[in-house]
Amino acid sequence: MRHLPYFCRGEVVKGFGRGSKELGIPTANFSEQVVESFPSDIPTGIYYGWASVGNGDVHKMVLSIGWNPFYKNIKKSVETHIIHTFKEDFYGEILSIVITGYIRPEKNFDSLDALISAIQEDIEEAKRQLDLPEHLKLKEDNFFHLPEGKIVNNR
């Protein structure tokens, strides 16, 4: 895919409140402005890569770009599930991501259980792919080191 790897950074905002509550799979959501800054021709679907909150550690992640057909969203969203357990929410923090690969297109599901099962499979696929040397090397990218006081996204 010609857009990969794709580097993106933005503030974490409140999403639909479904990730943790309904799915048991918390996601960090970017603002509409960050979503709109993605290349318009990047395919919707499920991706994997690396993520860091603030200047924290870099973790594996799986990410959804699109309209989430199961929920019939009217606005495109970018939702990142960081494969790590955080002690608390991090709304307002800066999330830095590097998307390194593509798993599948987005699709609708017959049930919430089928959606959760597919997400779990996506997480396992992301873990496998991110252990490969071509993806692992991006975990150490300087992009993840935010200089103190740096202005991010015009802020």
Side-chain angles (χ1 to χ4, degrees), residues 4-149:
L4 302 183
Y6 183 76
F7 295 76
C8 180
R9 180 177 285 137
E11 185 178 342
V12 176
V13 300
K14 284 198 181 283
F16 299 102
R18 299 186 292 235
S20 293
K21 293 175 188 66
E22 276 187 43
L23 303 173
I25 303 162
T27 58
N29 298 271
F30 283 126
S31 68
E32 282 183 47
Q33 296 98 317
V34 174
V35 173
E36 289 167 6
S37 74
F38 271 66
S40 59
D41 60 342
I42 196 167
T44 60
I46 310 305
Y47 293 81
Y48 57 86
W50 300 101
S52 175
V53 177
N55 268 319
D57 292 339
V58 178
H59 300 284
K60 294 176 178 179
M61 65 84 170
V62 66
L63 166 125
S64 166
I65 300 174
W67 286 273
N68 300 324
F70 184 78
Y71 289 107
K72 298 173 178 56
N73 289 3
I74 55 171
K75 285 197 180 290
K76 192 176 191 177
S77 66
V78 175
E79 301 176 40
T80 304
H81 170 68
I82 301 171
I83 304 171
H84 176 77
T85 302
F86 290 89
K87 289 184 177 76
E88 53 193 37
D89 291 336
F90 45 84
Y91 298 115
E93 293 283 342
I94 298 299
L95 174 65
S96 301
I97 63 168
V98 176
I99 303 171
T100 63
Y102 180 77
I103 298 176
R104 65 174 174 82
E106 65 176 349
K107 60 184 181 184
N108 203 348
F109 294 91
D110 295 333
S111 68
L112 190 60
D113 286 342
L115 171 60
I116 291 169
S117 177
I119 294 170
Q120 294 295 353
E121 288 173 24
D122 296 336
I123 290 168
E124 292 309 311
E125 178 66 11
K127 288 178 184 177
R128 282 191 294 276
Q129 293 295 327
L130 289 163
D131 283 337
L132 299 173
E134 64 266 29
H135 299 299
L136 203 52
K137 67 182 180 192
L138 284 162
K139 180 180 183 181
E140 307 302 325
D141 197 279
N142 284 336
F143 175 74
F144 289 114
H145 304 290
L146 285 174
E148 292 302 316

